[in-house]
Amino acid sequence: MSFDNAYESLLGHEDAHWAFGTGFSEPLSGVNREFPAGVDRDALAAYCLMLGDDALIFSQRLSEWCSRAPELEEDIALANIALDLLGQARMLLTRAGEVLGKDEDALAYLRDEREFRNVHLAEIDCGPGPGGDFGTTIARLLVFSSWRLALFSRLRGSADPVLAAVAEKGLKELAYHRDHAAQWTVRLGDGTDESHRRMQAGLERVWPFVDELFATHPVEAALTGVAVDPASLRSEVDGVLTAVLSAAGLTRPADTKAARVAGMAGRDGVHTEAMGYLLAEMQHLHRSLPGAVW
Amino acid sequence: MADDLELRFERTVQAEARIEPRDWMPDGYRKTLIRQIAQHAHSEIIGMQPEGNWISRAPSLRRKAILLAKVQDEAGHGLYLYSATETLGADREDLTTKLIEGRQKYSSIFNYPTLTFADVGVIGWLVDGAAICNQVPLCRTSYGPYARAMIRICKEESFHQRQGYELLMTMMRGTQQQRDMVQDSVNRWWWPALMMFGPPDAESTNTEQSMAWRIKRDTNDELRQKFVNMSVPQAEALGVTFPDPDLKWNPERGQYDFGSPDWDEFWQVVKGGGVCNQQRIAHRRKAHEDGAWVREAAAAHAAKQAVSKEGAA
């Protein structure tokens, strides 16, 4: 229908000036979606869920800052990062869904906690809830974006055209995320005594979850040429983190590892206690009205 | 001399030309604008909360992305408007203090709670629609920086309104439960949306001077009527009704007749007695106070950088 809107004349109908177009739909439109020959599609779907869930759950955590950030500029920046990650999640879940016969929403809203494959780092409360503060949030963002940026720069060469396209697009976004986190790490580390103390505490809070980022999962090991082996990222990411922490005058925490449960962690659907609550909130409306279209 | 300045100001305004930050302006004009633009900025910032309330629970990833982008836009609008206020000599930090101390107002529509996801669509359609009606004339307001901010803001608001309406359209084509949800939401938001245009002309204290200075260009009642005329066909296309037994087309006037909002409720909410007044301000205050150490750190770090740059020079 046409809008009898006093502003219609000014608006025009080209969507070019909207950051995401007016649709926000069809996450993979325009991307080559052929499956490369000889690739185990179930393993590919599982891998897409891992990377997609990391982005979806971290995006959910970041969006909790909306209207709670220390200044307006930061409200905008954190929402922006959350939106970028949500965009990546939608593409990856859509790709997984092509194999599993489900759409992005069925995968986001109708899987249970034990079926989510994100790393623990993405799901823990780092603030604005009681589990952290802005410094903790920046510490997580620094670690996560440094790791994902290193991962995506290699994923550009994936034999799967969708993963390669997601990586190509995501690379620019992640470079911005990492830069933003690095700048704040330096500002807080080299700001006041209070901000230094809090930034250091934030690093200590997230550090036990770093090791999981570099653990090779059987799915990744099976997808040679398609997936990136996270173990191969460790030295690059370490180098980045060391450089940023040194510029900020912060101390690298001791390399403690959170214990696994019967050898399992996030990639196997074994999560922290925070995850159930996060999903209850995220999924409740979708599950309350089964079959509704939004 | 002062008379010359005054005369030139009057001529500029009468000629529909713009007053710019370095131009002379009457004190009253400056104060009125600071109050109005600041309240407008505060409204954008407080307005993030009712919709932000549904980001974590949005029922599809597409809706989540749209909502997140929208609330982010509102933060951007607040930023433009605080910048416009600063061109008049105000200070953003000071305005924020006035907001959280209750010394400056924001639009009372945001003191109503968002109880279902349909509220997100109805806010887009009716609340942003009312805001557009209010704000389009401000694109030609006499103060240049305000007018330019309004042009950008109205473009984006218009886009949000379309998206809100599109959500409602989708829900109305859905299940009976979804249709009931939309109608319930319209029932709760219709009158508060009409109140967004402010009290009836007879009770509006600032209108006359604001019209003379070309800050305001239409009266509250004129804009309210225009909004009703615009909204009724949209409601029909959607398949919802407005909760007003007196609403009907008047062929003699060529406009819709409609009932009177509950002005007692309006004044009660304006004076702080709405469902969410205290919650909205407490939320804003907490974000500001919890973030103080971050802002102090940024300032301290910038100062250190400046010193080391000087040392290097």
Side-chain angles (χ1 to χ4, degrees), chain A residues 77-116:
Chain A
L78 293 176
N80 216 11
I81 295 168
L83 265 170
D84 286 345
L85 291 172
L86 183 53
Q88 292 175 18
R90 294 185 63 199
M91 292 170 88
L92 289 159
L93 294 184
T94 299
R95 183 58 163 176
E98 286 179 333
V99 176
L100 302 169
K102 294 176 176 180
D103 67 9
E104 51 170 333
D105 286 340
L107 289 170
Y109 291 96
L110 299 173
R111 276 182 300 153
D112 290 317
E113 187 183 333
R114 287 290 275 108
E115 299 169 279
F116 271 82

Side-chain angles (χ1 to χ4, degrees), chain A residues 1 3-8 10-13 15 17-18 20-25 56 59-60 63 66-73 75-76 79-80 82-83 86 90 93 104-105 108-109 133-135 184 186-188 190-192 194-195 198 281-282 284-286 288-289 291-294, chain B residues 45 48-49 54-66 68-69 71-72 75-76 78-79 82 92 117 125 132 136 139 150-151 154-156 158-159 161-163 165 167 169-171 175 177-178 181 226 230 234 237 283-284 287-288 291 293-298 300-301 304-305:
Chain A
M1 73 166 274
F3 268 86
D4 177 20
N5 172 332
Y7 220 75
E8 200 72 295
L10 257 178
L11 184 68
H13 288 285
D15 289 342
H17 61 293
W18 304 117
F20 303 89
T22 48
F24 284 87
S25 47
L56 174 64
S59 172
Q60 180 79 358
S63 67
C66 202
S67 76
R68 293 184 177 88
E71 53 190 348
L72 288 181
E73 288 84 350
D75 244 317
I76 294 170
N80 216 11
L83 265 170
L86 183 53
R90 294 185 63 199
L93 294 184
E104 51 170 333
D105 286 340
Y109 291 96
D133 61 6
F134 185 69
W184 270 114
V186 171
R187 239 177 248 134
L188 297 177
D190 183 32
T192 61
E194 172 72 353
S195 69
R198 284 179 181 252
E281 186 175 338
M282 186 174 94
H284 105 265
L285 175 56
H286 185 98
S288 306
L289 280 84
V293 177
W294 302 94
Chain B
I45 300 308
M48 294 166 73
Q49 292 179 41
W54 281 93
I55 292 172
S56 67
R57 297 176 289 168
S60 80
L61 297 185
R62 176 169 169 261
R63 291 295 168 196
K64 192 190 287 283
I66 289 172
L68 193 51
V71 177
Q72 181 192 27
L79 211 49
Y82 283 125
R92 186 169 132 192
F117 195 70
W125 172 39
I132 292 164
V136 164
C139 294
M150 285 325 309
I151 289 172
C154 281
K155 270 192 186 188
E156 292 183 0
S158 214
F159 178 60
Q161 194 202 14
R162 276 199 316 188
Q163 284 181 324
Y165 194 75
L167 166 60
M169 272 288 185
T170 307
M171 288 181 71
T175 64
Q177 230 176 331
Q178 285 179 294
M181 205 188 267
K226 196 170 170 182
M230 237 170 62
Q234 292 171 358
H283 180 114
R284 182 71 194 98
H288 192 67
W293 70 272
V294 176
R295 295 189 302 275
E296 284 157 19
H301 180 72
K304 287 182 194 177
Q305 294 296 96

Side-chain angles (χ1 to χ4, degrees), chain B residues 272-286:
Chain B
V275 176
C276 302
N277 295 59
Q278 292 187 3
Q279 174 191 332
R280 299 288 185 240
I281 292 293
H283 180 114
R284 182 71 194 98
R285 176 191 291 273
K286 186 175 187 328

Side-chain angles (χ1 to χ4, degrees), chain A residues 207-239:
Chain A
W207 217 257
F209 302 95
V210 172
D211 188 66
E212 190 190 358
L213 303 176
F214 303 108
T216 309
H217 189 273
V219 163
E220 290 159 329
L223 284 169
T224 313
V226 173
V228 173
D229 178 3
S232 69
L233 309 172
R234 196 186 277 265
S235 66
E236 182 185 327
V237 175
D238 257 352

